[in-house]
Amino acid sequence: FSIAAAEMGHSVTLYDQGDKIGGQFHMAKRVPGKEEFHETLRYFDHQLKARGVNVQLNTSITHQDMVQQGDDMDKWIVATGVIPRDPKI
């Protein structure tokens, strides 16, 4: 979504609480046969930079943060991710 919004001319800031973008892609890329996820992550990292998306890593955003920045932002899109399940295999 960040890339598409930036392509439409919006000023986009992406906050990620992790130290790199990609979330579960980093787990998935370790699965044999899924090595292409390395390229997927590289692609999206490049696209974010090319579109001028302001990426803020190691940053969690709370509702209070949103309220404080409210006048500076037109819209907030929140994707919280998931906690991976352990299949206990």
Side-chain angles (χ1 to χ4, degrees), residues 2-86:
S2 298
I3 294 167
E7 286 175 338
M8 292 188 301
H10 296 281
S11 175
V12 178
T13 299
L14 183 143
Y15 298 95
D16 196 315
Q17 68 182 6
D19 61 350
K20 54 190 171 255
I21 65 160
Q24 286 197 19
F25 271 95
H26 294 286
M27 184 185 311
K29 71 184 182 186
R30 298 186 322 218
V31 174
K34 298 293 183 182
E35 294 82 8
E36 72 273 8
F37 286 133
H38 288 275
E39 177 59 22
T40 302
L41 290 165
R42 189 203 64 75
Y43 170 80
F44 281 116
D45 185 57
H46 174 77
Q47 292 298 315
L48 290 167
K49 289 175 183 167
R51 302 299 183 271
V53 174
N54 177 13
V55 178
Q56 298 293 315
L57 299 175
N58 298 307
T59 306
S60 294
I61 295 296
T62 65
H63 181 259
Q64 185 61 31
D65 295 325
M66 292 179 191
V67 170
Q68 289 174 348
Q69 295 181 37
D71 291 339
D72 296 334
M73 303 289 180
D74 290 332
K75 302 280 186 234
W76 287 90
I77 308 298
V78 179
T80 60
V82 298
I83 297 172
R85 344 178 238 128
D86 180 358

